[in-house]
Amino acid sequence: MKFLTPQFDYLRTHRESRRNISVLLRYVGIVSATVLLYSGLFHVLMLHEGQEHSLLTGLYWTLTVMSTLGFGDITFHTDLGRVFSLVVLLSGIVMLLIVLPFAFIRFFYAPWLEAQLHLRAPRHVPSGLKSHVIFCRYDEVAAGLIERLRDSAIPYCVIEPDPSVAAALHGDGVSVVTGDLDNRETYDAVACGAARLVIANRNDAENSNIALIVHEHYPAVPIAAFAEEVDSVDVLELSGATHVLPLKQRLGEYLAGRASVGPAHAQPVGRFKNLRIVEFPVENTGLSGRTIRDTRLRELTGLNIVACWERGHLLPARAGTVLTDHSVLVAVGTSDQIAELDALFVIYNPNENPVLVIGGGKVGQAAMAFFRRVGVAISVIERDPELRPTLAGLADNVVIGDASHRSVIMKAGLETAPTVVLTTNDDAWNIFLAVYCRRLNPSTRIVSRITHERSLEAIHRAGADSVLSYATLGVKSLLAYVQGSEATFVGEGVDLFIVPVPASLTGLTLGGARIGEIYGLNVVALQHPDGSAENVMASTELTENTELVMLGTAEQRKKFRAEFG
């Protein structure tokens, strides 16, 4: 009864539920009136045949005939009575067996279930919650970030306006509160004043409204807002957002930054303390065919080669690893050491043919704007002819057509392109194009975006060298903001994380610990108790109270934790 009372209150007070119950009651009234009418006619016809029955018998006969039970204990003997029986039978089939069940489900049972879901959705967070992250929608970015927040023991809460959706999320173990995003009471219910961050991850208009409300009532709480349009960045900042993320713009710039264009140089992908993490493509450097030991890059620059990308797979860097044109080295060092690396390879002649961008949407346009700023020639393929004027201001060669047609893609310059950038938002299409481009030009570098993480393995098998998804970009950007660090984008599915040196490894050298060989993890640096970071080599000794800074996938991290806790 304690649970039924709120449900009845919801059905009674909710306008749509009141209307539904009113319709159902009217129909029940029509059925009841029909039963009484048939009962009265039953007595009239029975008297006409010379039979006399009680009022209860008339009601009994009417209900048994209308419900098709038809016991046969009371019958008419004239044709007029039998015709009446048929009318009662047929109307009963329609009214009781067809219409009534559907009316009951539509106007009572469904609202009853909705009331259950509505009441099951939490209305506020537990008392005392603080230093939590508030999401304004549960999407792929939120789901990925929540998983990492749990690893860091950081509490969170999701605001969901739809009670049924909120109830479903609550059932799946997501910390959620239902409420309207334009109502201050909702933010009071999620303890917004004690939050460490509010993430406005809806559309630009809703994000602006969220920022205005939060900034007005809780001015000390930081707000991170997504921006679908670059022009919305200023509006969101004026609305009170302290950190605006134009993710599609950044995704395009990231993809462009992974292209192999111009003189060989290191691409910054992250920073840890005083150390910078960079990627260095081997193509057009003269290093192809050599082992990492033979390159002597550590001796010449002081950089530490910690890993190597090979056709989408991040492999630990070993002295005997043979590099190919498609290898991309991951190195760690200071700014001066990286400058020395760039100076070593400035003498090599790059492939200066136009880079090929397939897809002229927002991400593609951001990539082209990046290439334009660094003086790289661009060729683009786009299906929509209406985008031609916009693309003409960004690209040197605009080809309108279907990239799956060989004549179109060759006209755009695939045969000589140093890099192909796939920016469409269709994973299946990007996978198809990766296979197609790899077959037509085996030596080109393919950089692609994906929408779903499940497509990662497929697109790497298709031939993509570097991949990033919108969700991963959002997760890593927000996680870095929450932790007060710099985001590291080594690759899709690869994270930078810090763990204490296990007691069983204390006193061993890094080479002797065989972390890369056994677990596949790549040690980037050692962090000392004073917070300083040390570049490492195989002979570096692992000491007590220090921490390992490593790159690896979720599976590799789980394997390491299963061994050492």
Side-chain angles (χ1 to χ4, degrees), residues 178 303 560:
T178 185
L303 282 171
F560 186 84

Side-chain angles (χ1 to χ4, degrees), residues 449-460:
R449 68 171 286 189
I450 57 173
T451 301
H452 304 289
E453 189 175 350
R454 61 177 179 269
S455 303
L456 179 60
E457 290 187 12
I459 199 163
H460 277 316

Side-chain angles (χ1 to χ4, degrees), residues 50-66:
Q51 302 184 57
E52 187 175 350
H53 297 280
S54 67
L55 293 176
L56 180 60
T57 301
L59 181 62
Y60 161 76
W61 178 88
T62 302
L63 290 177
T64 56
V65 174
M66 289 186 71

